[in-house]
Amino acid sequence: MRYILTCLSLVFVMCLNAQEVTKEGKVYTVKNEKIFLEGKDVTETLSVEEKAIIFKEASVVAENAKAAAAAKLEAAKVKEAELKAKADAEASEKAAAQLEKAEAKALKEKEKAAKKLEKEKKASEKAQKKAEKAQKKAEKALKKEEKLLANLDKAEEKLDKAQKKYNKLKRKGKLSPVDENKWIDKLEKLTDKVEKAKQKI
């Protein structure tokens, strides 16, 4: 835009300024339909043919100046178009770079989210396995405890039966001193079994 304004100003100034024409070694200045020689108006002193020749040459000089100005104006327009195209290309490249940067950032965030999700999934699976292991351990402990209780009940039942039979036989007087010692040993062993079963629980 700056070049166009400069060229337009130049054309305007050239049109307003006087045109200089050289004829027979003398430099005439044509301005506003008047001919000057060394700053003095000589329009009336010249013949019609001389005036016509000087005006014609002045118009040629003016046309040449206008053509030169128009060429400069056109060159300025071309230069401005090139600058605009260059600026557009730079803006386009900048936008493409920003888009590429944004895409890379989005991809990085997506990968980060995927890694986080994978990590959470692994942690969840680990926690689930841990819970399953704890449950199996609890079930095993419960079965063991049930077995120990069953063993205790069985031992107490055997002791109770043996105690009742011993008492019955003793009451009826059917035990010899050897048999009584055997029964006492048997009852002691069964009592020890009950105590051991209680300790295990």
Side-chain angles (χ1 to χ4, degrees), residues 10-44:
L10 184 66
V11 170
F12 182 70
V13 168
M14 290 177 93
C15 290
L16 290 178
N17 284 345
Q19 309 303 321
E20 291 185 353
V21 177
T22 305
K23 186 176 185 245
E24 297 173 1
K26 296 178 183 175
V27 178
Y28 294 97
T29 305
V30 178
K31 188 174 181 180
N32 297 331
E33 300 288 323
K34 292 185 179 181
I35 302 170
F36 295 92
L37 179 64
E38 296 175 359
K40 294 179 184 174
D41 186 0
V42 290
T43 310
E44 298 300 321

PDB file of all heavy atoms in Angstrom, residues 10-44:
ATOM      1  N   LEU A  10       3.864  10.718  -6.893  1.00  0.00           N
ATOM      2  CA  LEU A  10       4.842  11.050  -7.926  1.00  0.00           C
ATOM      3  C   LEU A  10       4.146  11.471  -9.216  1.00  0.00           C
ATOM      4  O   LEU A  10       4.522  12.460  -9.846  1.00  0.00           O
ATOM      5  CB  LEU A  10       5.752   9.836  -8.170  1.00  0.00           C
ATOM      6  CG  LEU A  10       6.892  10.040  -9.154  1.00  0.00           C
ATOM      7  CD1 LEU A  10       7.884  11.048  -8.599  1.00  0.00           C
ATOM      8  CD2 LEU A  10       7.591   8.716  -9.431  1.00  0.00           C
ATOM      9  N   VAL A  11       3.108  10.711  -9.625  1.00  0.00           N
ATOM     10  CA  VAL A  11       2.359  11.041 -10.845  1.00  0.00           C
ATOM     11  C   VAL A  11       1.696  12.400 -10.698  1.00  0.00           C
ATOM     12  O   VAL A  11       1.725  13.233 -11.608  1.00  0.00           O
ATOM     13  CB  VAL A  11       1.304   9.942 -11.137  1.00  0.00           C
ATOM     14  CG1 VAL A  11       0.362  10.377 -12.250  1.00  0.00           C
ATOM     15  CG2 VAL A  11       2.004   8.650 -11.526  1.00  0.00           C
ATOM     16  N   PHE A  12       1.105  12.644  -9.536  1.00  0.00           N
ATOM     17  CA  PHE A  12       0.417  13.918  -9.293  1.00  0.00           C
ATOM     18  C   PHE A  12       1.400  15.084  -9.375  1.00  0.00           C
ATOM     19  O   PHE A  12       1.124  16.110 -10.001  1.00  0.00           O
ATOM     20  CB  PHE A  12      -0.260  13.856  -7.911  1.00  0.00           C
ATOM     21  CG  PHE A  12      -1.044  15.088  -7.581  1.00  0.00           C
ATOM     22  CD1 PHE A  12      -2.221  15.367  -8.247  1.00  0.00           C
ATOM     23  CD2 PHE A  12      -0.593  15.983  -6.621  1.00  0.00           C
ATOM     24  CE1 PHE A  12      -2.948  16.511  -7.946  1.00  0.00           C
ATOM     25  CE2 PHE A  12      -1.313  17.116  -6.319  1.00  0.00           C
ATOM     26  CZ  PHE A  12      -2.503  17.382  -6.971  1.00  0.00           C
ATOM     27  N   VAL A  13       2.567  14.927  -8.782  1.00  0.00           N
ATOM     28  CA  VAL A  13       3.579  15.981  -8.779  1.00  0.00           C
ATOM     29  C   VAL A  13       4.088  16.229 -10.203  1.00  0.00           C
ATOM     30  O   VAL A  13       4.282  17.376 -10.608  1.00  0.00           O
ATOM     31  CB  VAL A  13       4.739  15.605  -7.825  1.00  0.00           C
ATOM     32  CG1 VAL A  13       5.934  16.532  -8.016  1.00  0.00           C
ATOM     33  CG2 VAL A  13       4.262  15.671  -6.389  1.00  0.00           C
ATOM     34  N   MET A  14       4.277  15.157 -10.948  1.00  0.00           N
ATOM     35  CA  MET A  14       4.785  15.300 -12.314  1.00  0.00           C
ATOM     36  C   MET A  14       3.783  16.037 -13.205  1.00  0.00           C
ATOM     37  O   MET A  14       4.160  16.783 -14.096  1.00  0.00           O
ATOM     38  CB  MET A  14       5.119  13.933 -12.907  1.00  0.00           C
ATOM     39  CG  MET A  14       6.347  13.303 -12.254  1.00  0.00           C
ATOM     40  SD  MET A  14       6.653  11.686 -12.892  1.00  0.00           S
ATOM     41  CE  MET A  14       7.779  12.106 -14.185  1.00  0.00           C
ATOM     42  N   CYS A  15       2.495  15.771 -12.936  1.00  0.00           N
ATOM     43  CA  CYS A  15       1.478  16.429 -13.753  1.00  0.00           C
ATOM     44  C   CYS A  15       1.402  17.925 -13.434  1.00  0.00           C
ATOM     45  O   CYS A  15       1.092  18.737 -14.286  1.00  0.00           O
ATOM     46  CB  CYS A  15       0.122  15.774 -13.538  1.00  0.00           C
ATOM     47  SG  CYS A  15       0.050  14.120 -14.250  1.00  0.00           S
ATOM     48  N   LEU A  16       1.613  18.246 -12.138  1.00  0.00           N
ATOM     49  CA  LEU A  16       1.536  19.642 -11.743  1.00  0.00           C
ATOM     50  C   LEU A  16       2.775  20.431 -12.167  1.00  0.00           C
ATOM     51  O   LEU A  16       2.692  21.617 -12.450  1.00  0.00           O
ATOM     52  CB  LEU A  16       1.367  19.765 -10.222  1.00  0.00           C
ATOM     53  CG  LEU A  16       0.013  19.322  -9.663  1.00  0.00           C
ATOM     54  CD1 LEU A  16       0.005  19.446  -8.160  1.00  0.00           C
ATOM     55  CD2 LEU A  16      -1.111  20.158 -10.266  1.00  0.00           C
ATOM     56  N   ASN A  17       3.928  19.787 -12.149  1.00  0.00           N
ATOM     57  CA  ASN A  17       5.174  20.486 -12.487  1.00  0.00           C
ATOM     58  C   ASN A  17       5.253  20.777 -13.986  1.00  0.00           C
ATOM     59  O   ASN A  17       4.621  20.135 -14.793  1.00  0.00           O
ATOM     60  CB  ASN A  17       6.387  19.653 -12.066  1.00  0.00           C
ATOM     61  CG  ASN A  17       6.598  19.735 -10.572  1.00  0.00           C
ATOM     62  OD1 ASN A  17       6.050  20.597  -9.913  1.00  0.00           O
ATOM     63  ND2 ASN A  17       7.403  18.816 -10.066  1.00  0.00           N
ATOM     64  N   ALA A  18       6.090  21.715 -14.273  1.00  0.00           N
ATOM     65  CA  ALA A  18       6.295  22.118 -15.668  1.00  0.00           C
ATOM     66  C   ALA A  18       7.127  21.076 -16.389  1.00  0.00           C
ATOM     67  O   ALA A  18       7.916  20.376 -15.782  1.00  0.00           O
ATOM     68  CB  ALA A  18       7.016  23.466 -15.705  1.00  0.00           C
ATOM     69  N   GLN A  19       6.931  21.032 -17.721  1.00  0.00           N
ATOM     70  CA  GLN A  19       7.676  20.096 -18.548  1.00  0.00           C
ATOM     71  C   GLN A  19       8.807  20.883 -19.220  1.00  0.00           C
ATOM     72  O   GLN A  19       8.595  21.963 -19.752  1.00  0.00           O
ATOM     73  CB  GLN A  19       6.759  19.497 -19.632  1.00  0.00           C
ATOM     74  CG  GLN A  19       5.462  18.920 -19.119  1.00  0.00           C
ATOM     75  CD  GLN A  19       5.668  17.839 -18.082  1.00  0.00           C
ATOM     76  OE1 GLN A  19       6.568  17.053 -18.209  1.00  0.00           O
ATOM     77  NE2 GLN A  19       4.838  17.842 -17.059  1.00  0.00           N
ATOM     78  N   GLU A  20       9.968  20.308 -19.202  1.00  0.00           N
ATOM     79  CA  GLU A  20      11.121  20.973 -19.828  1.00  0.00           C
ATOM     80  C   GLU A  20      11.360  20.382 -21.205  1.00  0.00           C
ATOM     81  O   GLU A  20      11.406  19.161 -21.357  1.00  0.00           O
ATOM     82  CB  GLU A  20      12.368  20.823 -18.964  1.00  0.00           C
ATOM     83  CG  GLU A  20      12.273  21.614 -17.669  1.00  0.00           C
ATOM     84  CD  GLU A  20      13.548  21.577 -16.862  1.00  0.00           C
ATOM     85  OE1 GLU A  20      14.492  20.835 -17.231  1.00  0.00           O
ATOM     86  OE2 GLU A  20      13.602  22.278 -15.853  1.00  0.00           O
ATOM     87  N   VAL A  21      11.487  21.289 -22.211  1.00  0.00           N
ATOM     88  CA  VAL A  21      11.703  20.859 -23.593  1.00  0.00           C
ATOM     89  C   VAL A  21      12.951  21.592 -24.112  1.00  0.00           C
ATOM     90  O   VAL A  21      13.083  22.805 -23.971  1.00  0.00           O
ATOM     91  CB  VAL A  21      10.494  21.236 -24.481  1.00  0.00           C
ATOM     92  CG1 VAL A  21      10.741  20.849 -25.926  1.00  0.00           C
ATOM     93  CG2 VAL A  21       9.237  20.605 -23.941  1.00  0.00           C
ATOM     94  N   THR A  22      13.862  20.834 -24.758  1.00  0.00           N
ATOM     95  CA  THR A  22      15.084  21.447 -25.291  1.00  0.00           C
ATOM     96  C   THR A  22      14.910  21.575 -26.808  1.00  0.00           C
ATOM     97  O   THR A  22      14.636  20.602 -27.495  1.00  0.00           O
ATOM     98  CB  THR A  22      16.300  20.561 -24.977  1.00  0.00           C
ATOM     99  OG1 THR A  22      16.354  20.332 -23.578  1.00  0.00           O
ATOM    100  CG2 THR A  22      17.588  21.218 -25.428  1.00  0.00           C
ATOM    101  N   LYS A  23      15.109  22.830 -27.320  1.00  0.00           N
ATOM    102  CA  LYS A  23      14.969  23.074 -28.764  1.00  0.00           C
ATOM    103  C   LYS A  23      16.010  24.098 -29.159  1.00  0.00           C
ATOM    104  O   LYS A  23      16.088  25.171 -28.584  1.00  0.00           O
ATOM    105  CB  LYS A  23      13.561  23.585 -29.067  1.00  0.00           C
ATOM    106  CG  LYS A  23      13.313  23.718 -30.548  1.00  0.00           C
ATOM    107  CD  LYS A  23      11.902  24.130 -30.826  1.00  0.00           C
ATOM    108  CE  LYS A  23      11.714  24.122 -32.315  1.00  0.00           C
ATOM    109  NZ  LYS A  23      11.467  25.369 -32.908  1.00  0.00           N
ATOM    110  N   GLU A  24      16.823  23.686 -30.136  1.00  0.00           N
ATOM    111  CA  GLU A  24      17.870  24.547 -30.668  1.00  0.00           C
ATOM    112  C   GLU A  24      18.793  25.045 -29.561  1.00  0.00           C
ATOM    113  O   GLU A  24      19.158  26.224 -29.494  1.00  0.00           O
ATOM    114  CB  GLU A  24      17.252  25.745 -31.425  1.00  0.00           C
ATOM    115  CG  GLU A  24      16.450  25.313 -32.611  1.00  0.00           C
ATOM    116  CD  GLU A  24      15.705  26.479 -33.270  1.00  0.00           C
ATOM    117  OE1 GLU A  24      15.841  27.628 -32.808  1.00  0.00           O
ATOM    118  OE2 GLU A  24      14.993  26.188 -34.222  1.00  0.00           O
ATOM    119  N   GLY A  25      19.112  24.152 -28.614  1.00  0.00           N
ATOM    120  CA  GLY A  25      20.061  24.492 -27.552  1.00  0.00           C
ATOM    121  C   GLY A  25      19.457  25.313 -26.431  1.00  0.00           C
ATOM    122  O   GLY A  25      20.149  25.659 -25.477  1.00  0.00           O
ATOM    123  N   LYS A  26      18.206  25.681 -26.569  1.00  0.00           N
ATOM    124  CA  LYS A  26      17.550  26.446 -25.510  1.00  0.00           C
ATOM    125  C   LYS A  26      16.600  25.520 -24.753  1.00  0.00           C
ATOM    126  O   LYS A  26      15.942  24.679 -25.351  1.00  0.00           O
ATOM    127  CB  LYS A  26      16.747  27.613 -26.107  1.00  0.00           C
ATOM    128  CG  LYS A  26      17.603  28.624 -26.806  1.00  0.00           C
ATOM    129  CD  LYS A  26      16.744  29.703 -27.406  1.00  0.00           C
ATOM    130  CE  LYS A  26      17.607  30.695 -28.187  1.00  0.00           C
ATOM    131  NZ  LYS A  26      16.799  31.684 -28.882  1.00  0.00           N
ATOM    132  N   VAL A  27      16.518  25.724 -23.432  1.00  0.00           N
ATOM    133  CA  VAL A  27      15.647  24.885 -22.595  1.00  0.00           C
ATOM    134  C   VAL A  27      14.402  25.701 -22.286  1.00  0.00           C
ATOM    135  O   VAL A  27      14.471  26.724 -21.586  1.00  0.00           O
ATOM    136  CB  VAL A  27      16.362  24.464 -21.292  1.00  0.00           C
ATOM    137  CG1 VAL A  27      15.434  23.631 -20.429  1.00  0.00           C
ATOM    138  CG2 VAL A  27      17.630  23.694 -21.609  1.00  0.00           C
ATOM    139  N   TYR A  28      13.266  25.234 -22.857  1.00  0.00           N
ATOM    140  CA  TYR A  28      11.980  25.890 -22.622  1.00  0.00           C
ATOM    141  C   TYR A  28      11.227  25.107 -21.533  1.00  0.00           C
ATOM    142  O   TYR A  28      11.276  23.878 -21.486  1.00  0.00           O
ATOM    143  CB  TYR A  28      11.124  25.918 -23.902  1.00  0.00           C
ATOM    144  CG  TYR A  28      11.702  26.777 -24.999  1.00  0.00           C
ATOM    145  CD1 TYR A  28      12.462  26.220 -26.027  1.00  0.00           C
ATOM    146  CD2 TYR A  28      11.455  28.148 -25.016  1.00  0.00           C
ATOM    147  CE1 TYR A  28      12.975  26.996 -27.026  1.00  0.00           C
ATOM    148  CE2 TYR A  28      11.977  28.943 -26.028  1.00  0.00           C
ATOM    149  CZ  TYR A  28      12.736  28.361 -27.022  1.00  0.00           C
ATOM    150  OH  TYR A  28      13.241  29.132 -28.014  1.00  0.00           O
ATOM    151  N   THR A  29      10.492  25.853 -20.710  1.00  0.00           N
ATOM    152  CA  THR A  29       9.671  25.221 -19.673  1.00  0.00           C
ATOM    153  C   THR A  29       8.222  25.511 -20.007  1.00  0.00           C
ATOM    154  O   THR A  29       7.842  26.681 -20.186  1.00  0.00           O
ATOM    155  CB  THR A  29      10.006  25.806 -18.285  1.00  0.00           C
ATOM    156  OG1 THR A  29      11.398  25.681 -18.058  1.00  0.00           O
ATOM    157  CG2 THR A  29       9.261  25.077 -17.192  1.00  0.00           C
ATOM    158  N   VAL A  30       7.409  24.437 -20.099  1.00  0.00           N
ATOM    159  CA  VAL A  30       5.997  24.597 -20.438  1.00  0.00           C
ATOM    160  C   VAL A  30       5.203  24.359 -19.164  1.00  0.00           C
ATOM    161  O   VAL A  30       5.321  23.309 -18.519  1.00  0.00           O
ATOM    162  CB  VAL A  30       5.574  23.590 -21.525  1.00  0.00           C
ATOM    163  CG1 VAL A  30       4.101  23.733 -21.838  1.00  0.00           C
ATOM    164  CG2 VAL A  30       6.420  23.775 -22.765  1.00  0.00           C
ATOM    165  N   LYS A  31       4.382  25.362 -18.838  1.00  0.00           N
ATOM    166  CA  LYS A  31       3.559  25.234 -17.625  1.00  0.00           C
ATOM    167  C   LYS A  31       2.263  25.992 -17.854  1.00  0.00           C
ATOM    168  O   LYS A  31       2.289  27.169 -18.187  1.00  0.00           O
ATOM    169  CB  LYS A  31       4.317  25.825 -16.434  1.00  0.00           C
ATOM    170  CG  LYS A  31       3.662  25.580 -15.097  1.00  0.00           C
ATOM    171  CD  LYS A  31       4.552  26.079 -13.963  1.00  0.00           C
ATOM    172  CE  LYS A  31       3.889  25.796 -12.645  1.00  0.00           C
ATOM    173  NZ  LYS A  31       4.722  26.274 -11.536  1.00  0.00           N
ATOM    174  N   ASN A  32       1.129  25.250 -17.647  1.00  0.00           N
ATOM    175  CA  ASN A  32      -0.216  25.828 -17.782  1.00  0.00           C
ATOM    176  C   ASN A  32      -0.391  26.574 -19.102  1.00  0.00           C
ATOM    177  O   ASN A  32      -0.759  27.741 -19.140  1.00  0.00           O
ATOM    178  CB  ASN A  32      -0.527  26.794 -16.622  1.00  0.00           C
ATOM    179  CG  ASN A  32      -0.545  26.084 -15.289  1.00  0.00           C
ATOM    180  OD1 ASN A  32      -0.853  24.900 -15.226  1.00  0.00           O
ATOM    181  ND2 ASN A  32      -0.202  26.794 -14.233  1.00  0.00           N
ATOM    182  N   GLU A  33      -0.077  25.907 -20.211  1.00  0.00           N
ATOM    183  CA  GLU A  33      -0.248  26.449 -21.561  1.00  0.00           C
ATOM    184  C   GLU A  33       0.604  27.705 -21.824  1.00  0.00           C
ATOM    185  O   GLU A  33       0.320  28.479 -22.728  1.00  0.00           O
ATOM    186  CB  GLU A  33      -1.742  26.787 -21.826  1.00  0.00           C
ATOM    187  CG  GLU A  33      -2.684  25.621 -21.724  1.00  0.00           C
ATOM    188  CD  GLU A  33      -2.547  24.643 -22.872  1.00  0.00           C
ATOM    189  OE1 GLU A  33      -2.327  25.066 -24.003  1.00  0.00           O
ATOM    190  OE2 GLU A  33      -2.639  23.416 -22.605  1.00  0.00           O
ATOM    191  N   LYS A  34       1.660  27.862 -21.036  1.00  0.00           N
ATOM    192  CA  LYS A  34       2.574  29.001 -21.241  1.00  0.00           C
ATOM    193  C   LYS A  34       3.983  28.451 -21.375  1.00  0.00           C
ATOM    194  O   LYS A  34       4.326  27.448 -20.769  1.00  0.00           O
ATOM    195  CB  LYS A  34       2.512  29.992 -20.068  1.00  0.00           C
ATOM    196  CG  LYS A  34       1.183  30.716 -19.995  1.00  0.00           C
ATOM    197  CD  LYS A  34       1.189  31.752 -18.917  1.00  0.00           C
ATOM    198  CE  LYS A  34      -0.147  32.473 -18.900  1.00  0.00           C
ATOM    199  NZ  LYS A  34      -0.196  33.496 -17.887  1.00  0.00           N
ATOM    200  N   ILE A  35       4.802  29.167 -22.186  1.00  0.00           N
ATOM    201  CA  ILE A  35       6.166  28.732 -22.437  1.00  0.00           C
ATOM    202  C   ILE A  35       7.097  29.757 -21.798  1.00  0.00           C
ATOM    203  O   ILE A  35       6.968  30.970 -22.050  1.00  0.00           O
ATOM    204  CB  ILE A  35       6.440  28.622 -23.948  1.00  0.00           C
ATOM    205  CG1 ILE A  35       5.448  27.629 -24.573  1.00  0.00           C
ATOM    206  CG2 ILE A  35       7.870  28.191 -24.221  1.00  0.00           C
ATOM    207  CD1 ILE A  35       5.455  27.616 -26.089  1.00  0.00           C
ATOM    208  N   PHE A  36       8.043  29.230 -20.995  1.00  0.00           N
ATOM    209  CA  PHE A  36       8.992  30.104 -20.295  1.00  0.00           C
ATOM    210  C   PHE A  36      10.398  29.786 -20.764  1.00  0.00           C
ATOM    211  O   PHE A  36      10.740  28.630 -21.012  1.00  0.00           O
ATOM    212  CB  PHE A  36       8.916  29.883 -18.772  1.00  0.00           C
ATOM    213  CG  PHE A  36       7.589  30.270 -18.178  1.00  0.00           C
ATOM    214  CD1 PHE A  36       6.564  29.347 -18.033  1.00  0.00           C
ATOM    215  CD2 PHE A  36       7.384  31.575 -17.743  1.00  0.00           C
ATOM    216  CE1 PHE A  36       5.368  29.701 -17.482  1.00  0.00           C
ATOM    217  CE2 PHE A  36       6.169  31.932 -17.185  1.00  0.00           C
ATOM    218  CZ  PHE A  36       5.152  30.996 -17.057  1.00  0.00           C
ATOM    219  N   LEU A  37      11.208  30.842 -20.863  1.00  0.00           N
ATOM    220  CA  LEU A  37      12.617  30.688 -21.201  1.00  0.00           C
ATOM    221  C   LEU A  37      13.380  31.452 -20.145  1.00  0.00           C
ATOM    222  O   LEU A  37      13.203  32.670 -20.000  1.00  0.00           O
ATOM    223  CB  LEU A  37      12.912  31.244 -22.609  1.00  0.00           C
ATOM    224  CG  LEU A  37      14.358  31.153 -23.074  1.00  0.00           C
ATOM    225  CD1 LEU A  37      14.812  29.695 -23.201  1.00  0.00           C
ATOM    226  CD2 LEU A  37      14.530  31.862 -24.418  1.00  0.00           C
ATOM    227  N   GLU A  38      14.194  30.735 -19.392  1.00  0.00           N
ATOM    228  CA  GLU A  38      14.977  31.300 -18.293  1.00  0.00           C
ATOM    229  C   GLU A  38      14.078  32.072 -17.329  1.00  0.00           C
ATOM    230  O   GLU A  38      14.400  33.174 -16.879  1.00  0.00           O
ATOM    231  CB  GLU A  38      16.095  32.198 -18.826  1.00  0.00           C
ATOM    232  CG  GLU A  38      17.104  31.413 -19.635  1.00  0.00           C
ATOM    233  CD  GLU A  38      18.163  32.304 -20.277  1.00  0.00           C
ATOM    234  OE1 GLU A  38      18.102  33.538 -20.102  1.00  0.00           O
ATOM    235  OE2 GLU A  38      19.032  31.746 -20.938  1.00  0.00           O
ATOM    236  N   GLY A  39      12.893  31.545 -17.064  1.00  0.00           N
ATOM    237  CA  GLY A  39      11.956  32.127 -16.095  1.00  0.00           C
ATOM    238  C   GLY A  39      11.080  33.236 -16.652  1.00  0.00           C
ATOM    239  O   GLY A  39      10.221  33.756 -15.936  1.00  0.00           O
ATOM    240  N   LYS A  40      11.226  33.599 -17.935  1.00  0.00           N
ATOM    241  CA  LYS A  40      10.411  34.675 -18.526  1.00  0.00           C
ATOM    242  C   LYS A  40       9.423  34.070 -19.497  1.00  0.00           C
ATOM    243  O   LYS A  40       9.751  33.156 -20.249  1.00  0.00           O
ATOM    244  CB  LYS A  40      11.297  35.687 -19.278  1.00  0.00           C
ATOM    245  CG  LYS A  40      12.218  36.442 -18.365  1.00  0.00           C
ATOM    246  CD  LYS A  40      13.069  37.402 -19.170  1.00  0.00           C
ATOM    247  CE  LYS A  40      14.072  38.107 -18.278  1.00  0.00           C
ATOM    248  NZ  LYS A  40      15.002  38.942 -19.011  1.00  0.00           N
ATOM    249  N   ASP A  41       8.181  34.603 -19.488  1.00  0.00           N
ATOM    250  CA  ASP A  41       7.117  34.118 -20.364  1.00  0.00           C
ATOM    251  C   ASP A  41       7.412  34.580 -21.794  1.00  0.00           C
ATOM    252  O   ASP A  41       7.471  35.782 -22.074  1.00  0.00           O
ATOM    253  CB  ASP A  41       5.770  34.672 -19.898  1.00  0.00           C
ATOM    254  CG  ASP A  41       4.609  34.087 -20.680  1.00  0.00           C
ATOM    255  OD1 ASP A  41       4.843  33.253 -21.585  1.00  0.00           O
ATOM    256  OD2 ASP A  41       3.464  34.414 -20.361  1.00  0.00           O
ATOM    257  N   VAL A  42       7.619  33.579 -22.704  1.00  0.00           N
ATOM    258  CA  VAL A  42       7.936  33.901 -24.098  1.00  0.00           C
ATOM    259  C   VAL A  42       6.876  33.358 -25.034  1.00  0.00           C
ATOM    260  O   VAL A  42       7.107  33.255 -26.250  1.00  0.00           O
ATOM    261  CB  VAL A  42       9.329  33.357 -24.495  1.00  0.00           C
ATOM    262  CG1 VAL A  42      10.432  34.114 -23.800  1.00  0.00           C
ATOM    263  CG2 VAL A  42       9.429  31.875 -24.262  1.00  0.00           C
ATOM    264  N   THR A  43       5.710  33.056 -24.505  1.00  0.00           N
ATOM    265  CA  THR A  43       4.662  32.424 -25.290  1.00  0.00           C
ATOM    266  C   THR A  43       4.270  33.315 -26.466  1.00  0.00           C
ATOM    267  O   THR A  43       4.109  32.832 -27.595  1.00  0.00           O
ATOM    268  CB  THR A  43       3.417  32.161 -24.407  1.00  0.00           C
ATOM    269  OG1 THR A  43       3.829  31.506 -23.226  1.00  0.00           O
ATOM    270  CG2 THR A  43       2.403  31.310 -25.122  1.00  0.00           C
ATOM    271  N   GLU A  44       4.122  34.597 -26.260  1.00  0.00           N
ATOM    272  CA  GLU A  44       3.638  35.498 -27.294  1.00  0.00           C
ATOM    273  C   GLU A  44       4.718  35.808 -28.341  1.00  0.00           C
ATOM    274  O   GLU A  44       4.402  36.187 -29.463  1.00  0.00           O
ATOM    275  CB  GLU A  44       3.152  36.812 -26.661  1.00  0.00           C
ATOM    276  CG  GLU A  44       1.987  36.639 -25.696  1.00  0.00           C
ATOM    277  CD  GLU A  44       0.764  36.026 -26.355  1.00  0.00           C
ATOM    278  OE1 GLU A  44       0.466  36.353 -27.505  1.00  0.00           O
ATOM    279  OE2 GLU A  44       0.102  35.177 -25.699  1.00  0.00           O
TER     280      GLU A  44
END
